[in-house]
PDB file of all heavy atoms in Angstrom:
ATOM      1  N   VAL A 170     -24.636 -66.868   3.712  1.00 98.00           N
ATOM      2  CA  VAL A 170     -26.115 -66.585   3.999  1.00 98.00           C
ATOM      3  C   VAL A 170     -26.353 -66.718   5.547  1.00 98.00           C
ATOM      4  O   VAL A 170     -26.006 -67.695   6.211  1.00 98.00           O
ATOM      5  CB  VAL A 170     -27.045 -67.698   3.351  1.00 98.00           C
ATOM      6  CG1 VAL A 170     -28.429 -67.635   3.780  1.00 98.00           C
ATOM      7  CG2 VAL A 170     -26.848 -67.530   1.688  1.00 98.00           C
ATOM      8  N   VAL A 171     -27.007 -65.603   6.129  1.00 98.00           N
ATOM      9  CA  VAL A 171     -27.308 -65.594   7.608  1.00 98.00           C
ATOM     10  C   VAL A 171     -28.792 -65.705   7.630  1.00 98.00           C
ATOM     11  O   VAL A 171     -29.583 -64.862   7.293  1.00 98.00           O
ATOM     12  CB  VAL A 171     -26.860 -64.435   8.285  1.00 98.00           C
ATOM     13  CG1 VAL A 171     -27.193 -64.308   9.646  1.00 98.00           C
ATOM     14  CG2 VAL A 171     -25.333 -64.273   8.110  1.00 98.00           C
ATOM     15  N   VAL A 172     -29.246 -66.832   8.242  1.00 98.00           N
ATOM     16  CA  VAL A 172     -30.738 -67.144   8.497  1.00 98.00           C
ATOM     17  C   VAL A 172     -31.098 -66.733   9.938  1.00 98.00           C
ATOM     18  O   VAL A 172     -30.742 -67.451  10.842  1.00 98.00           O
ATOM     19  CB  VAL A 172     -31.142 -68.401   8.120  1.00 98.00           C
ATOM     20  CG1 VAL A 172     -32.686 -68.701   8.274  1.00 98.00           C
ATOM     21  CG2 VAL A 172     -30.632 -68.872   6.674  1.00 98.00           C
ATOM     22  N   GLY A 173     -31.837 -65.557  10.106  1.00 95.00           N
ATOM     23  CA  GLY A 173     -32.198 -65.229  11.495  1.00 95.00           C
ATOM     24  C   GLY A 173     -31.406 -64.047  11.833  1.00 95.00           C
ATOM     25  O   GLY A 173     -30.139 -64.193  12.017  1.00 95.00           O
ATOM     26  N   CYS A 174     -31.923 -62.803  11.826  1.00 94.00           N
ATOM     27  CA  CYS A 174     -31.206 -61.598  12.028  1.00 94.00           C
ATOM     28  C   CYS A 174     -31.402 -60.926  13.393  1.00 94.00           C
ATOM     29  O   CYS A 174     -31.810 -59.754  13.431  1.00 94.00           O
ATOM     30  CB  CYS A 174     -31.382 -60.708  10.932  1.00 94.00           C
ATOM     31  SG  CYS A 174     -30.659 -61.241   9.450  1.00 94.00           S
ATOM     32  N   GLY A 175     -31.494 -61.809  14.428  1.00 89.00           N
ATOM     33  CA  GLY A 175     -31.494 -61.259  15.820  1.00 89.00           C
ATOM     34  C   GLY A 175     -29.986 -60.721  16.093  1.00 89.00           C
ATOM     35  O   GLY A 175     -29.203 -60.468  15.199  1.00 89.00           O
ATOM     36  N   GLY A 176     -29.693 -60.706  17.536  1.00 87.00           N
ATOM     37  CA  GLY A 176     -28.409 -60.162  17.895  1.00 87.00           C
ATOM     38  C   GLY A 176     -27.311 -61.096  17.265  1.00 87.00           C
ATOM     39  O   GLY A 176     -26.219 -60.520  16.811  1.00 87.00           O
ATOM     40  N   VAL A 177     -27.378 -62.419  17.381  1.00 91.00           N
ATOM     41  CA  VAL A 177     -26.357 -63.453  16.849  1.00 91.00           C
ATOM     42  C   VAL A 177     -26.264 -63.237  15.484  1.00 91.00           C
ATOM     43  O   VAL A 177     -25.138 -63.156  14.787  1.00 91.00           O
ATOM     44  CB  VAL A 177     -26.613 -64.749  17.419  1.00 91.00           C
ATOM     45  CG1 VAL A 177     -25.499 -65.693  16.691  1.00 91.00           C
ATOM     46  CG2 VAL A 177     -26.697 -64.931  18.862  1.00 91.00           C
ATOM     47  N   GLY A 178     -27.451 -63.299  14.698  1.00 95.00           N
ATOM     48  CA  GLY A 178     -27.417 -63.164  13.272  1.00 95.00           C
ATOM     49  C   GLY A 178     -26.865 -61.888  12.795  1.00 95.00           C
ATOM     50  O   GLY A 178     -25.953 -61.926  11.824  1.00 95.00           O
ATOM     51  N   LEU A 179     -27.135 -60.730  13.376  1.00 95.00           N
ATOM     52  CA  LEU A 179     -26.496 -59.477  13.024  1.00 95.00           C
ATOM     53  C   LEU A 179     -25.051 -59.435  13.163  1.00 95.00           C
ATOM     54  O   LEU A 179     -24.363 -58.873  12.433  1.00 95.00           O
ATOM     55  CB  LEU A 179     -27.343 -58.358  13.631  1.00 95.00           C
ATOM     56  CG  LEU A 179     -28.719 -58.055  13.214  1.00 95.00           C
ATOM     57  CD1 LEU A 179     -29.449 -57.014  14.135  1.00 95.00           C
ATOM     58  CD2 LEU A 179     -28.705 -57.640  11.721  1.00 95.00           C
ATOM     59  N   ALA A 181     -23.060 -61.942  12.995  1.00 97.00           N
ATOM     60  CA  ALA A 181     -22.566 -62.803  11.874  1.00 97.00           C
ATOM     61  C   ALA A 181     -22.553 -61.988  10.622  1.00 97.00           C
ATOM     62  O   ALA A 181     -21.537 -61.975   9.829  1.00 97.00           O
ATOM     63  CB  ALA A 181     -23.408 -64.060  11.668  1.00 97.00           C
ATOM     64  N   VAL A 182     -23.552 -61.235  10.344  1.00 97.00           N
ATOM     65  CA  VAL A 182     -23.558 -60.397   9.212  1.00 97.00           C
ATOM     66  C   VAL A 182     -22.345 -59.339   9.341  1.00 97.00           C
ATOM     67  O   VAL A 182     -21.744 -59.197   8.301  1.00 97.00           O
ATOM     68  CB  VAL A 182     -24.836 -59.490   9.093  1.00 97.00           C
ATOM     69  CG1 VAL A 182     -24.787 -58.395   8.089  1.00 97.00           C
ATOM     70  CG2 VAL A 182     -26.040 -60.405   8.829  1.00 97.00           C
ATOM     71  N   ALA A 194     -28.897 -61.809   4.030  1.00 98.00           N
ATOM     72  CA  ALA A 194     -29.532 -61.849   5.274  1.00 98.00           C
ATOM     73  C   ALA A 194     -31.000 -62.323   4.966  1.00 98.00           C
ATOM     74  O   ALA A 194     -31.580 -61.904   4.122  1.00 98.00           O
ATOM     75  CB  ALA A 194     -29.474 -60.540   5.926  1.00 98.00           C
ATOM     76  N   VAL A 195     -31.475 -63.159   5.842  1.00 98.00           N
ATOM     77  CA  VAL A 195     -32.757 -63.753   5.717  1.00 98.00           C
ATOM     78  C   VAL A 195     -33.562 -63.710   6.975  1.00 98.00           C
ATOM     79  O   VAL A 195     -33.104 -64.034   8.091  1.00 98.00           O
ATOM     80  CB  VAL A 195     -32.792 -65.294   5.317  1.00 98.00           C
ATOM     81  CG1 VAL A 195     -34.175 -65.735   5.111  1.00 98.00           C
ATOM     82  CG2 VAL A 195     -31.975 -65.466   3.964  1.00 98.00           C
ATOM     83  N   ASP A 196     -34.860 -63.031   6.970  1.00 97.00           N
ATOM     84  CA  ASP A 196     -35.601 -63.001   8.148  1.00 97.00           C
ATOM     85  C   ASP A 196     -37.024 -62.610   7.812  1.00 97.00           C
ATOM     86  O   ASP A 196     -37.271 -62.257   6.561  1.00 97.00           O
ATOM     87  CB  ASP A 196     -35.041 -61.843   9.068  1.00 97.00           C
ATOM     88  CG  ASP A 196     -35.436 -61.948  10.460  1.00 97.00           C
ATOM     89  OD1 ASP A 196     -36.516 -61.702  10.957  1.00 97.00           O
ATOM     90  OD2 ASP A 196     -34.543 -62.438  11.372  1.00 97.00           O
ATOM     91  N   ILE A 197     -37.932 -62.804   8.728  1.00 95.00           N
ATOM     92  CA  ILE A 197     -39.330 -62.380   8.523  1.00 95.00           C
ATOM     93  C   ILE A 197     -39.711 -60.986   8.798  1.00 95.00           C
ATOM     94  O   ILE A 197     -40.743 -60.483   8.523  1.00 95.00           O
ATOM     95  CB  ILE A 197     -40.314 -63.418   9.134  1.00 95.00           C
ATOM     96  CG1 ILE A 197     -40.055 -63.289  10.697  1.00 95.00           C
ATOM     97  CG2 ILE A 197     -40.209 -64.812   8.634  1.00 95.00           C
ATOM     98  CD1 ILE A 197     -41.234 -64.054  11.544  1.00 95.00           C
ATOM     99  N   ALA A 201     -35.513 -56.086  11.075  1.00 94.00           N
ATOM    100  CA  ALA A 201     -34.365 -56.942  11.224  1.00 94.00           C
ATOM    101  C   ALA A 201     -33.494 -56.677   9.895  1.00 94.00           C
ATOM    102  O   ALA A 201     -32.247 -56.665   9.982  1.00 94.00           O
ATOM    103  CB  ALA A 201     -34.715 -58.284  11.609  1.00 94.00           C
ATOM    104  N   VAL A 240     -25.262 -69.706   8.094  1.00 98.00           N
ATOM    105  CA  VAL A 240     -25.308 -69.649   9.393  1.00 98.00           C
ATOM    106  C   VAL A 240     -26.731 -69.605   9.799  1.00 98.00           C
ATOM    107  O   VAL A 240     -27.627 -68.782   9.271  1.00 98.00           O
ATOM    108  CB  VAL A 240     -24.666 -68.363   9.995  1.00 98.00           C
ATOM    109  CG1 VAL A 240     -25.038 -68.197  11.465  1.00 98.00           C
ATOM    110  CG2 VAL A 240     -23.235 -68.407   9.888  1.00 98.00           C
ATOM    111  N   GLU A 241     -27.243 -70.510  10.643  1.00 98.00           N
ATOM    112  CA  GLU A 241     -28.499 -70.503  11.204  1.00 98.00           C
ATOM    113  C   GLU A 241     -28.458 -69.911  12.637  1.00 98.00           C
ATOM    114  O   GLU A 241     -27.835 -70.427  13.492  1.00 98.00           O
ATOM    115  CB  GLU A 241     -29.198 -71.845  11.313  1.00 98.00           C
ATOM    116  CG  GLU A 241     -30.780 -71.869  11.378  1.00 98.00           C
ATOM    117  CD  GLU A 241     -31.302 -71.597  12.744  1.00 98.00           C
ATOM    118  OE1 GLU A 241     -30.494 -71.656  13.797  1.00 98.00           O
ATOM    119  OE2 GLU A 241     -32.551 -71.485  12.891  1.00 98.00           O
ATOM    120  N   ALA A 242     -29.126 -68.864  12.924  1.00 95.00           N
ATOM    121  CA  ALA A 242     -28.912 -68.043  14.131  1.00 95.00           C
ATOM    122  C   ALA A 242     -30.265 -67.837  14.814  1.00 95.00           C
ATOM    123  O   ALA A 242     -30.361 -66.910  15.736  1.00 95.00           O
ATOM    124  CB  ALA A 242     -28.327 -66.678  13.830  1.00 95.00           C
ATOM    125  N   LEU A 243     -31.260 -68.623  14.499  1.00 92.00           N
ATOM    126  CA  LEU A 243     -32.563 -68.388  15.070  1.00 92.00           C
ATOM    127  C   LEU A 243     -32.867 -69.600  16.097  1.00 92.00           C
ATOM    128  O   LEU A 243     -33.346 -69.386  17.215  1.00 92.00           O
ATOM    129  CB  LEU A 243     -33.590 -68.314  13.955  1.00 92.00           C
ATOM    130  CG  LEU A 243     -35.118 -68.063  14.487  1.00 92.00           C
ATOM    131  CD1 LEU A 243     -35.208 -66.923  15.347  1.00 92.00           C
ATOM    132  CD2 LEU A 243     -35.950 -68.089  13.336  1.00 92.00           C
ATOM    133  N   GLY A 244     -32.692 -70.812  15.589  1.00 91.00           N
ATOM    134  CA  GLY A 244     -32.973 -72.012  16.303  1.00 91.00           C
ATOM    135  C   GLY A 244     -34.443 -72.602  16.045  1.00 91.00           C
ATOM    136  O   GLY A 244     -35.062 -73.000  17.030  1.00 91.00           O
ATOM    137  N   THR A 248     -35.853 -73.381   9.635  1.00 97.00           N
ATOM    138  CA  THR A 248     -34.745 -72.512   9.146  1.00 97.00           C
ATOM    139  C   THR A 248     -33.356 -73.179   9.101  1.00 97.00           C
ATOM    140  O   THR A 248     -32.533 -72.763   8.352  1.00 97.00           O
ATOM    141  CB  THR A 248     -34.611 -71.229  10.071  1.00 97.00           C
ATOM    142  OG1 THR A 248     -34.691 -71.662  11.460  1.00 97.00           O
ATOM    143  CG2 THR A 248     -35.815 -70.328   9.847  1.00 97.00           C
TER     144      THR A 248
END
Side-chain angles (χ1 to χ4, degrees):
V170 172
V171 178
V172 183
C174 294
V177 176
L179 289 174
V182 170
V195 183
D196 204 285
I197 61 172
V240 168
E241 201 278 352
L243 181 60
T248 47

